[in-house]
Amino acid sequence: METARETGVPAQPSSDSGYVAVTFVDTGETYRCQKRVGLLESMRRLGVSGIPVGCRSGGCSVCKIEVLSGSYQQFRPMSREYVTEEDLAAGRVLACCIHPLEDLTVRAIGKLGRIIARQCSNEAR
Amino acid sequence: MALNGVLRPGHAQIRVLNLEEDLKFYRDVLGLEEMGRDDGGRVYLKAWDERDHHSVVLRQADKGGLDLFGFKVDSPATLDKLEADLQAFGVKTERVPAGEMLGTGERVRFEIPTGHLIELYAEKKDVGNGMPYENPAPWHPAAERGIAPTRLDHALLGGVDLDGSLDIFTKVLGFFIVEILYAEDGKTVVAVWLSCSTKTHDIALIRLPEQGKLHHVSFWLDNWDRVLRAADIMSMNDVPVDIGPTRHGITRGATIYAFDRSGNRFETFSGGYIAYPDMKPLVWSIDHLPEGLDYAQRKLHQTFLTVFS
Protein backbone atom coordinates (compact mmCIF):
# COMPACT_ATOMS: atom_id res chain seq x y z
CA MET A 1 0.00 0.00 0.00
CA GLU A 2 1.35 3.39 -0.94
CA THR A 3 1.32 5.94 1.84
CA ALA A 4 2.30 9.56 2.06
CA ARG A 5 5.12 8.56 4.44
CA GLU A 6 6.72 6.31 1.78
CA THR A 7 6.76 8.99 -0.90
CA GLY A 8 7.87 11.62 1.57
CA VAL A 9 5.22 14.02 0.30
CA PRO A 10 1.82 14.09 1.94
CA ALA A 11 -0.96 13.34 -0.53
CA GLN A 12 -3.08 16.34 -1.40
CA PRO A 13 -6.55 15.96 0.12
CA SER A 14 -8.97 14.93 -2.60
CA SER A 15 -11.20 17.93 -1.89
CA ASP A 16 -8.37 20.20 -3.01
CA SER A 17 -8.75 19.23 -6.65
CA GLY A 18 -10.69 21.40 -9.07
CA TYR A 19 -9.84 25.06 -8.92
CA VAL A 20 -11.34 27.97 -10.83
CA ALA A 21 -10.44 31.64 -11.08
CA VAL A 22 -12.86 34.17 -9.59
CA THR A 23 -12.34 37.78 -10.69
CA PHE A 24 -13.83 40.86 -9.00
CA VAL A 25 -14.60 43.60 -11.49
CA ASP A 26 -14.51 46.37 -8.85
CA THR A 27 -10.92 45.69 -7.84
CA GLY A 28 -9.65 43.64 -10.78
CA GLU A 29 -8.36 41.03 -8.33
CA THR A 30 -8.51 37.35 -9.18
CA TYR A 31 -8.58 34.49 -6.66
CA ARG A 32 -8.15 30.77 -7.00
CA CYS A 33 -11.20 29.08 -5.52
CA GLN A 34 -12.24 25.45 -5.18
CA LYS A 35 -15.19 24.16 -7.17
CA ARG A 36 -16.50 22.08 -4.29
CA VAL A 37 -16.37 24.81 -1.67
CA GLY A 38 -18.88 27.62 -1.32
CA LEU A 39 -17.55 30.79 -2.93
CA LEU A 40 -17.75 32.90 0.22
CA GLU A 41 -16.08 30.17 2.28
CA SER A 42 -13.23 29.97 -0.27
CA MET A 43 -12.72 33.72 -0.02
CA ARG A 44 -12.87 33.61 3.76
CA ARG A 45 -10.26 30.83 3.87
CA LEU A 46 -8.01 32.89 1.59
CA GLY A 47 -8.36 35.76 4.05
CA VAL A 48 -9.44 38.25 1.42
CA SER A 49 -12.27 40.74 1.76
CA GLY A 50 -13.58 40.85 -1.80
CA ILE A 51 -16.97 39.78 -0.49
CA PRO A 52 -18.21 40.88 2.95
CA VAL A 53 -18.78 38.00 5.37
CA GLY A 54 -22.07 37.97 7.26
CA CYS A 55 -24.17 35.02 8.40
CA ARG A 56 -22.72 32.55 5.87
CA SER A 57 -26.09 30.80 5.93
CA GLY A 58 -28.17 32.42 3.21
CA GLY A 59 -30.06 34.77 5.48
CA CYS A 60 -28.51 38.24 5.70
CA SER A 61 -27.51 39.23 2.13
CA VAL A 62 -24.28 41.11 2.84
CA CYS A 63 -22.45 38.65 0.57
CA LYS A 64 -24.80 39.26 -2.37
CA ILE A 65 -22.96 39.26 -5.67
CA GLU A 66 -23.82 39.62 -9.31
CA VAL A 67 -22.26 36.92 -11.46
CA LEU A 68 -21.34 38.60 -14.74
CA SER A 69 -19.89 35.53 -16.42
CA GLY A 70 -19.37 31.83 -15.68
CA SER A 71 -21.61 29.11 -14.34
CA TYR A 72 -22.25 28.13 -10.73
CA GLN A 73 -24.46 25.86 -8.69
CA GLN A 74 -26.65 26.77 -5.71
CA PHE A 75 -26.22 24.30 -2.83
CA ARG A 76 -28.34 25.82 -0.05
CA PRO A 77 -31.48 27.99 0.21
CA MET A 78 -31.24 31.79 0.11
CA SER A 79 -33.64 34.12 1.93
CA ARG A 80 -36.38 35.29 -0.47
CA GLU A 81 -36.36 38.59 1.37
CA TYR A 82 -33.04 39.42 -0.23
CA VAL A 83 -32.89 37.19 -3.31
CA THR A 84 -35.98 37.26 -5.52
CA GLU A 85 -36.78 35.06 -8.53
CA GLU A 86 -35.74 38.05 -10.67
CA ASP A 87 -32.42 38.18 -8.87
CA LEU A 88 -31.84 34.47 -9.44
CA ALA A 89 -32.65 34.79 -13.14
CA ALA A 90 -30.20 37.70 -13.43
CA GLY A 91 -27.35 35.93 -11.61
CA ARG A 92 -27.69 37.95 -8.41
CA VAL A 93 -27.05 35.43 -5.64
CA LEU A 94 -25.54 35.04 -2.19
CA ALA A 95 -21.90 34.00 -2.37
CA CYS A 96 -22.32 31.77 0.69
CA CYS A 97 -24.83 29.59 -1.18
CA ILE A 98 -23.07 28.83 -4.47
CA HIS A 99 -20.23 26.69 -5.78
CA PRO A 100 -18.35 27.95 -8.85
CA LEU A 101 -18.42 25.41 -11.69
CA GLU A 102 -16.00 27.34 -13.89
CA ASP A 103 -14.12 30.65 -13.90
CA LEU A 104 -16.39 33.48 -12.68
CA THR A 105 -16.44 37.23 -13.02
CA VAL A 106 -18.41 38.81 -10.17
CA ARG A 107 -19.29 42.10 -8.52
CA ALA A 108 -20.15 42.48 -4.81
CA ILE A 109 -23.57 44.16 -4.59
CA GLY A 110 -24.62 43.52 -0.95
CA LYS A 111 -25.00 46.54 1.31
CA LEU A 112 -21.44 46.09 2.60
CA GLY A 113 -20.08 45.31 -0.88
CA ARG A 114 -21.11 48.74 -2.00
CA ILE A 115 -19.16 50.21 0.91
CA ILE A 116 -16.05 48.23 -0.03
CA ALA A 117 -16.33 49.26 -3.70
CA ARG A 118 -16.68 52.87 -2.59
CA GLN A 119 -13.60 52.57 -0.36
CA CYS A 120 -11.67 51.06 -3.25
CA SER A 121 -12.63 53.89 -5.58
CA ASN A 122 -11.74 56.47 -2.89
CA GLU A 123 -8.33 54.89 -2.42
CA ALA A 124 -7.82 54.90 -6.18
CA ARG A 125 -8.36 58.65 -6.32
CA MET B 1 -43.66 40.13 46.17
CA ALA B 2 -40.28 40.18 44.49
CA LEU B 3 -41.21 39.77 40.84
CA ASN B 4 -44.55 40.36 39.20
CA GLY B 5 -46.08 41.59 35.98
CA VAL B 6 -43.96 40.45 33.05
CA LEU B 7 -41.71 37.65 34.35
CA ARG B 8 -39.34 36.68 31.53
CA PRO B 9 -38.94 35.92 27.85
CA GLY B 10 -40.85 32.71 27.21
CA HIS B 11 -40.60 31.92 23.53
CA ALA B 12 -39.06 32.96 20.24
CA GLN B 13 -40.59 31.72 16.99
CA ILE B 14 -37.78 31.68 14.43
CA ARG B 15 -38.11 31.30 10.65
CA VAL B 16 -35.73 28.82 9.03
CA LEU B 17 -34.94 28.08 5.39
CA ASN B 18 -34.57 24.31 5.82
CA LEU B 19 -36.46 23.00 8.83
CA GLU B 20 -34.77 19.61 9.14
CA GLU B 21 -31.27 21.06 8.82
CA ASP B 22 -31.99 23.76 11.38
CA LEU B 23 -33.70 21.30 13.72
CA LYS B 24 -30.47 19.27 13.66
CA PHE B 25 -28.54 22.42 14.50
CA TYR B 26 -30.80 23.56 17.36
CA ARG B 27 -31.14 20.04 18.80
CA ASP B 28 -27.72 18.44 18.24
CA VAL B 29 -25.31 21.38 18.20
CA LEU B 30 -27.00 23.99 20.39
CA GLY B 31 -28.34 21.12 22.48
CA LEU B 32 -31.99 22.06 22.94
CA GLU B 33 -34.53 19.29 23.58
CA GLU B 34 -37.10 18.56 20.88
CA MET B 35 -40.52 18.79 22.49
CA GLY B 36 -42.97 18.21 19.66
CA ARG B 37 -44.33 19.26 16.30
CA ASP B 38 -47.74 20.80 15.59
CA ASP B 39 -50.18 20.34 12.70
CA GLY B 40 -48.68 23.36 10.97
CA GLY B 41 -45.25 21.69 10.95
CA ARG B 42 -43.69 23.97 13.55
CA VAL B 43 -41.07 22.28 15.75
CA TYR B 44 -40.90 23.05 19.47
CA LEU B 45 -37.75 22.96 21.58
CA LYS B 46 -36.61 23.96 25.03
CA ALA B 47 -33.35 24.36 26.92
CA TRP B 48 -32.64 21.51 29.33
CA ASP B 49 -33.22 23.45 32.55
CA GLU B 50 -36.40 25.19 31.45
CA ARG B 51 -39.56 23.80 32.98
CA ASP B 52 -42.20 25.18 30.63
CA HIS B 53 -43.07 23.21 27.50
CA HIS B 54 -40.93 25.14 25.01
CA SER B 55 -38.94 28.32 24.45
CA VAL B 56 -37.97 28.03 20.77
CA VAL B 57 -40.36 27.36 17.90
CA LEU B 58 -38.94 26.77 14.40
CA ARG B 59 -41.09 27.48 11.36
CA GLN B 60 -40.15 26.61 7.77
CA ALA B 61 -40.25 29.75 5.61
CA ASP B 62 -38.59 31.21 2.52
CA LYS B 63 -36.87 33.94 4.55
CA GLY B 64 -35.10 33.99 7.91
CA GLY B 65 -35.90 36.17 10.88
CA LEU B 66 -38.21 36.26 13.85
CA ASP B 67 -41.97 35.66 13.66
CA LEU B 68 -42.64 36.67 17.23
CA PHE B 69 -41.17 36.97 20.71
CA GLY B 70 -43.24 36.08 23.77
CA PHE B 71 -43.06 36.97 27.46
CA LYS B 72 -44.63 35.07 30.32
CA VAL B 73 -46.63 37.13 32.83
CA ASP B 74 -47.43 36.13 36.40
CA SER B 75 -51.16 35.44 36.07
CA PRO B 76 -54.23 35.58 33.82
CA ALA B 77 -55.30 38.70 35.75
CA THR B 78 -52.03 40.41 34.81
CA LEU B 79 -52.54 39.35 31.21
CA ASP B 80 -55.97 41.05 31.20
CA LYS B 81 -54.59 44.15 32.88
CA LEU B 82 -51.63 44.53 30.52
CA GLU B 83 -53.94 44.00 27.53
CA ALA B 84 -56.11 46.87 28.77
CA ASP B 85 -53.05 49.02 29.50
CA LEU B 86 -51.69 48.44 25.99
CA GLN B 87 -55.01 49.41 24.44
CA ALA B 88 -55.21 52.51 26.62
CA PHE B 89 -51.72 53.44 25.37
CA GLY B 90 -52.99 53.15 21.78
CA VAL B 91 -51.54 49.75 20.96
CA LYS B 92 -53.81 47.45 18.97
CA THR B 93 -53.91 43.97 20.47
CA GLU B 94 -55.38 40.62 19.48
CA ARG B 95 -56.01 37.40 21.38
CA VAL B 96 -54.48 34.22 20.05
CA PRO B 97 -56.50 31.23 21.29
CA ALA B 98 -55.11 28.73 23.79
CA GLY B 99 -53.56 25.75 22.06
CA GLU B 100 -52.57 27.62 18.88
CA MET B 101 -49.07 27.04 20.20
CA LEU B 102 -48.56 23.60 21.78
CA GLY B 103 -49.01 23.56 25.54
CA THR B 104 -49.65 27.30 25.69
CA GLY B 105 -52.62 29.28 27.02
CA GLU B 106 -54.23 32.32 25.48
CA ARG B 107 -51.78 34.94 24.23
CA VAL B 108 -52.13 38.70 23.80
CA ARG B 109 -50.33 39.69 20.62
CA PHE B 110 -49.39 43.16 19.43
CA GLU B 111 -46.98 44.83 17.04
CA ILE B 112 -44.44 47.29 18.39
CA PRO B 113 -43.27 50.31 16.36
CA THR B 114 -40.02 48.60 15.30
CA GLY B 115 -42.21 46.10 13.41
CA HIS B 116 -41.97 43.07 15.73
CA LEU B 117 -44.81 40.90 16.99
CA ILE B 118 -44.67 40.64 20.77
CA GLU B 119 -46.84 38.30 22.81
CA LEU B 120 -47.79 38.01 26.46
CA TYR B 121 -49.18 34.84 27.99
CA ALA B 122 -49.79 33.57 31.50
CA GLU B 123 -49.92 29.82 31.05
CA LYS B 124 -47.66 27.21 29.51
CA LYS B 125 -47.55 23.52 30.39
CA ASP B 126 -45.06 22.70 33.14
CA VAL B 127 -43.12 19.71 31.84
CA GLY B 128 -40.26 20.01 34.34
CA ASN B 129 -36.55 19.96 33.62
CA GLY B 130 -36.16 16.19 33.64
CA MET B 131 -35.47 16.04 37.37
CA PRO B 132 -37.99 15.56 40.16
CA TYR B 133 -39.47 18.44 42.13
CA GLU B 134 -38.48 16.65 45.31
CA ASN B 135 -34.82 16.11 46.22
CA PRO B 136 -33.50 16.76 42.68
CA ALA B 137 -29.96 16.32 41.39
CA PRO B 138 -28.30 19.52 40.13
CA TRP B 139 -28.16 18.38 36.51
CA HIS B 140 -28.68 15.39 34.28
CA PRO B 141 -27.08 14.09 31.05
CA ALA B 142 -28.94 16.58 28.80
CA ALA B 143 -26.93 19.32 30.51
CA GLU B 144 -23.84 18.06 28.65
CA ARG B 145 -25.37 17.38 25.22
CA GLY B 146 -24.24 19.99 22.69
CA ILE B 147 -23.72 23.57 23.83
CA ALA B 148 -26.59 22.98 26.28
CA PRO B 149 -27.68 26.42 27.46
CA THR B 150 -29.89 26.38 30.52
CA ARG B 151 -32.49 28.79 29.16
CA LEU B 152 -33.60 31.27 26.53
CA ASP B 153 -32.27 34.52 27.99
CA HIS B 154 -33.17 37.55 25.86
CA ALA B 155 -33.38 38.91 22.32
CA LEU B 156 -32.05 42.01 20.56
CA LEU B 157 -34.60 43.37 18.11
CA GLY B 158 -33.92 46.01 15.46
CA GLY B 159 -36.05 48.53 13.63
CA VAL B 160 -36.57 52.17 12.72
CA ASP B 161 -38.78 53.56 15.51
CA LEU B 162 -36.77 52.42 18.51
CA ASP B 163 -38.25 55.19 20.68
CA GLY B 164 -41.80 53.96 20.06
CA SER B 165 -40.96 50.40 21.06
CA LEU B 166 -38.96 51.60 24.06
CA ASP B 167 -41.99 53.53 25.32
CA ILE B 168 -44.18 50.43 25.22
CA PHE B 169 -41.72 48.35 27.22
CA THR B 170 -41.00 51.03 29.83
CA LYS B 171 -44.32 52.88 30.09
CA VAL B 172 -46.74 49.97 29.74
CA LEU B 173 -45.01 46.68 30.42
CA GLY B 174 -42.91 47.73 33.44
CA PHE B 175 -39.41 47.23 32.04
CA PHE B 176 -36.57 49.47 33.22
CA ILE B 177 -33.49 50.71 31.36
CA VAL B 178 -30.29 48.99 32.48
CA GLU B 179 -27.88 50.37 29.86
CA ILE B 180 -28.31 52.74 26.95
CA LEU B 181 -26.17 53.72 23.94
CA TYR B 182 -26.46 57.22 22.46
CA ALA B 183 -25.44 58.55 19.05
CA GLU B 184 -22.97 61.44 18.61
CA ASP B 185 -25.73 63.99 19.24
CA GLY B 186 -26.17 62.63 22.79
CA LYS B 187 -29.92 62.37 22.24
CA THR B 188 -30.60 59.69 19.65
CA VAL B 189 -30.81 56.28 21.24
CA VAL B 190 -28.86 53.77 19.13
CA ALA B 191 -29.55 50.79 21.37
CA VAL B 192 -31.05 50.10 24.80
CA TRP B 193 -30.96 47.16 27.20
CA LEU B 194 -34.14 46.60 29.22
CA SER B 195 -34.98 44.37 32.15
CA CYS B 196 -38.23 43.14 33.68
CA SER B 197 -36.35 41.14 36.30
CA THR B 198 -32.87 41.38 37.78
CA LYS B 199 -31.13 40.30 34.58
CA THR B 200 -29.08 42.89 32.70
CA HIS B 201 -31.53 42.46 29.85
CA ASP B 202 -34.69 40.57 29.05
CA ILE B 203 -35.04 42.47 25.79
CA ALA B 204 -32.80 44.91 23.93
CA LEU B 205 -33.58 47.22 21.04
CA ILE B 206 -31.30 48.60 18.33
CA ARG B 207 -32.01 51.29 15.77
CA LEU B 208 -31.69 49.78 12.28
CA PRO B 209 -32.70 51.01 8.83
CA GLU B 210 -35.02 48.03 8.28
CA GLN B 211 -38.15 47.11 10.25
CA GLY B 212 -38.90 43.95 12.19
CA LYS B 213 -35.34 42.64 12.24
CA LEU B 214 -33.83 40.01 14.49
CA HIS B 215 -30.34 40.90 15.67
CA HIS B 216 -30.02 37.86 17.92
CA VAL B 217 -31.73 35.47 20.27
CA SER B 218 -29.61 34.72 23.32
CA PHE B 219 -29.19 31.56 25.38
CA TRP B 220 -27.77 31.43 28.88
CA LEU B 221 -24.70 29.47 29.93
CA ASP B 222 -23.60 29.20 33.54
CA ASN B 223 -20.05 30.50 33.22
CA TRP B 224 -17.15 31.54 30.98
CA ASP B 225 -15.84 27.96 30.78
CA ARG B 226 -19.15 26.93 29.25
CA VAL B 227 -18.84 29.77 26.74
CA LEU B 228 -15.38 28.50 25.70
CA ARG B 229 -16.78 24.96 25.48
CA ALA B 230 -19.52 26.38 23.24
CA ALA B 231 -16.83 27.92 21.00
CA ASP B 232 -15.20 24.49 20.62
CA ILE B 233 -18.51 22.84 19.78
CA MET B 234 -19.29 25.56 17.23
CA SER B 235 -15.95 25.05 15.49
CA MET B 236 -16.32 21.24 15.58
CA ASN B 237 -19.61 21.68 13.75
CA ASP B 238 -18.61 24.42 11.26
CA VAL B 239 -21.01 26.90 12.87
CA PRO B 240 -20.42 30.38 11.38
CA VAL B 241 -19.17 32.47 14.31
CA ASP B 242 -19.64 36.24 14.14
CA ILE B 243 -17.94 37.66 17.25
CA GLY B 244 -16.17 36.14 20.22
CA PRO B 245 -15.64 34.43 22.54
CA THR B 246 -15.19 37.75 24.31
CA ARG B 247 -16.85 39.91 26.92
CA HIS B 248 -19.28 42.72 26.20
CA GLY B 249 -18.46 46.00 27.93
CA ILE B 250 -22.19 46.67 27.80
CA THR B 251 -23.89 44.31 30.34
CA ARG B 252 -20.43 42.75 31.07
CA GLY B 253 -21.65 39.43 29.70
CA ALA B 254 -19.29 36.82 28.25
CA THR B 255 -20.45 36.09 24.75
CA ILE B 256 -20.25 34.40 21.40
CA TYR B 257 -22.36 35.61 18.49
CA ALA B 258 -22.90 33.01 15.78
CA PHE B 259 -25.51 32.04 13.20
CA ASP B 260 -27.96 29.20 12.83
CA ARG B 261 -28.30 27.47 9.44
CA SER B 262 -30.62 30.20 8.14
CA GLY B 263 -28.66 33.33 9.01
CA ASN B 264 -30.40 34.02 12.30
CA ARG B 265 -27.85 35.23 14.80
CA PHE B 266 -27.84 33.59 18.21
CA GLU B 267 -25.76 34.28 21.27
CA THR B 268 -24.36 32.03 23.96
CA PHE B 269 -24.10 34.30 26.93
CA SER B 270 -23.02 34.21 30.54
CA GLY B 271 -22.41 36.56 33.43
CA GLY B 272 -23.17 40.23 33.65
CA TYR B 273 -24.44 41.55 36.95
CA ILE B 274 -27.66 41.80 38.91
CA ALA B 275 -29.74 44.80 37.91
CA TYR B 276 -32.41 46.42 40.08
CA PRO B 277 -34.99 48.98 38.98
CA ASP B 278 -33.65 51.63 41.39
CA MET B 279 -30.18 51.56 39.83
CA LYS B 280 -29.16 54.42 37.51
CA PRO B 281 -28.84 53.26 33.90
CA LEU B 282 -25.28 52.93 32.57
CA VAL B 283 -24.78 55.27 29.63
CA TRP B 284 -22.56 54.61 26.60
CA SER B 285 -21.63 56.98 23.82
CA ILE B 286 -21.26 55.66 20.29
CA ASP B 287 -17.50 56.30 20.17
CA HIS B 288 -17.17 53.73 22.97
CA LEU B 289 -19.19 51.09 21.15
CA PRO B 290 -16.03 49.14 20.19
CA GLU B 291 -15.32 48.23 23.83
CA GLY B 292 -19.01 48.17 24.65
CA LEU B 293 -19.39 45.41 22.10
CA ASP B 294 -16.06 43.61 22.46
CA TYR B 295 -14.25 44.60 25.64
CA ALA B 296 -11.34 42.21 25.09
CA GLN B 297 -10.48 43.33 21.56
CA ARG B 298 -11.99 46.86 21.67
CA LYS B 299 -13.05 46.29 18.10
CA LEU B 300 -16.08 47.65 16.29
CA HIS B 301 -17.18 44.63 14.34
CA GLN B 302 -18.91 45.93 11.24
CA THR B 303 -21.39 43.04 11.23
CA PHE B 304 -22.89 44.21 14.55
CA LEU B 305 -24.64 47.13 12.87
CA THR B 306 -25.16 45.63 9.41
CA VAL B 307 -25.95 41.90 9.61
CA PHE B 308 -29.39 40.82 10.83
CA SER B 309 -32.26 38.63 9.64
Side-chain angles (χ1 to χ4, degrees):
Chain A
M1 194 176 78
E2 189 179 340
T3 66
R5 178 66 66 196
E6 283 162 7
T7 62
V9 180
Q12 177 170 266
S14 58
S15 63
D16 281 359
S17 59
Y19 282 87
V20 297
V22 178
T23 302
F24 287 80
V25 292
D26 286 315
T27 61
E29 290 162 326
T30 296
Y31 300 102
R32 199 163 162 264
C33 298
Q34 291 177 44
K35 283 186 189 176
R36 294 186 202 174
V37 177
L39 178 56
L40 185 68
E41 180 63 9
S42 279
M43 302 294 295
R44 198 182 68 79
R45 284 179 180 277
L46 287 167
V48 295
S49 59
I51 307 174
V53 175
C55 75
R56 288 159 273 168
S57 305
C60 78
S61 86
V62 302
C63 70
K64 195 171 183 180
I65 55 169
E66 183 175 8
V67 180
L68 303 169
S69 71
S71 61
Y72 55 87
Q73 184 177 37
Q74 181 182 340
F75 67 92
R76 56 178 306 125
M78 309 180 202
S79 172
R80 268 291 170 277
E81 185 168 11
Y82 297 114
V83 182
T84 63
E85 289 291 342
E86 265 182 8
D87 282 332
L88 287 175
R92 292 187 294 267
V93 293
L94 303 184
C96 65
C97 299
I98 64 159
H99 298 294
L101 295 175
E102 57 186 12
D103 289 356
L104 300 181
T105 309
V106 305
R107 172 186 289 139
I109 59 170
K111 51 193 168 189
L112 292 177
R114 290 196 294 271
I115 293 167
I116 287 173
R118 202 158 59 231
Q119 284 167 349
C120 288
S121 63
N122 284 344
E123 282 162 15
R125 252 175 234 148
Chain B
M1 186 175 173
L3 194 61
N4 51 29
V6 180
L7 297 177
R8 61 174 177 271
H11 53 246
Q13 183 168 310
I14 299 167
R15 293 188 294 268
V16 293
L17 302 175
N18 180 335
L19 184 64
E20 297 311 321
E21 195 190 343
D22 258 303
L23 172 57
K24 266 191 219 162
F25 164 76
Y26 280 93
R27 185 188 57 207
D28 302 337
V29 181
L30 189 53
L32 303 184
E33 295 178 20
E34 187 176 349
M35 300 301 295
R37 205 177 275 238
D38 66 21
D39 295 341
R42 290 179 296 182
V43 176
Y44 294 68
L45 304 111
K46 79 172 191 70
W48 73 269
D49 203 21
E50 288 173 322
R51 300 177 185 185
D52 284 355
H53 180 265
H54 62 269
S55 57
V56 169
V57 182
L58 302 179
R59 184 174 74 82
Q60 171 72 46
D62 64 5
K63 60 177 186 176
L66 186 72
D67 277 334
L68 52 90
F69 197 69
F71 293 91
K72 192 174 193 185
V73 304
D74 65 15
S75 65
T78 293
L79 189 66
D80 293 342
K81 180 185 180 300
L82 290 174
E83 181 184 37
D85 291 348
L86 284 162
Q87 289 169 358
F89 199 72
V91 179
K92 204 177 136 196
T93 66
E94 64 168 306
R95 287 251 174 180
V96 182
E100 192 277 339
M101 195 176 255
L102 290 185
T104 308
E106 216 175 4
R107 288 125 69 200
V108 170
R109 178 185 287 181
F110 52 99
E111 186 175 334
I112 56 173
T114 39
H116 304 89
L117 286 183
I118 300 295
E119 296 186 338
L120 306 175
Y121 66 94
E123 291 166 330
K124 193 178 278 185
K125 187 180 175 190
D126 178 354
V127 295
N129 62 3
M131 293 175 290
Y133 280 107
E134 288 179 24
N135 312 315
W139 54 273
H140 61 94
E144 295 296 320
R145 195 176 53 77
I147 292 169
T150 57
R151 64 166 191 250
L152 168 70
D153 191 77
H154 65 268
L156 173 53
L157 309 179
V160 177
D161 185 5
L162 180 149
D163 311 282
S165 290
L166 176 57
D167 275 352
I168 291 173
F169 281 108
T170 54
K171 293 180 180 168
V172 187
L173 300 177
F175 287 62
F176 61 97
I177 296 176
V178 178
E179 305 204 19
I180 190 163
L181 170 68
Y182 285 106
E184 284 167 16
D185 63 8
K187 292 177 200 156
T188 307
V189 179
V190 177
V192 62
W193 290 260
L194 301 166
S195 182
C196 64
S197 61
T198 57
K199 290 153 62 184
T200 49
H201 45 336
D202 288 289
I203 191 81
L205 302 168
I206 184 166
R207 193 180 301 273
L208 293 179
E210 294 171 57
Q211 282 286 88
K213 288 294 161 185
L214 172 64
H215 191 282
H216 68 265
V217 171
S218 185
F219 297 92
W220 180 264
L221 293 170
D222 277 342
N223 55 55
W224 174 232
D225 274 352
R226 298 292 290 193
V227 176
L228 294 180
R229 177 179 171 277
D232 287 339
I233 293 171
M234 288 180 200
S235 197
M236 286 172 196
N237 289 280
D238 284 325
V239 173
V241 172
D242 183 28
I243 299 173
T246 185
R247 179 216 275 275
H248 291 309
I250 299 168
T251 75
R252 294 191 209 149
T255 177
I256 305 169
Y257 283 151
F259 297 97
D260 71 6
R261 304 310 297 138
S262 300
N264 300 303
R265 191 189 275 102
F266 70 95
E267 178 181 41
T268 52
F269 177 81
S270 181
Y273 55 92
I274 295 174
Y276 289 98
D278 63 320
M279 286 162 48
K280 273 193 209 172
L282 302 182
V283 178
W284 295 80
S285 51
I286 192 77
D287 55 320
H288 289 275
L289 178 57
E291 60 267 33
L293 176 61
D294 184 340
Y295 202 77
Q297 294 193 68
R298 302 176 79 83
K299 184 175 169 190
L300 182 59
H301 301 265
Q302 196 172 26
T303 52
F304 182 76
L305 293 167
T306 51
V307 173
F308 32 81
S309 63

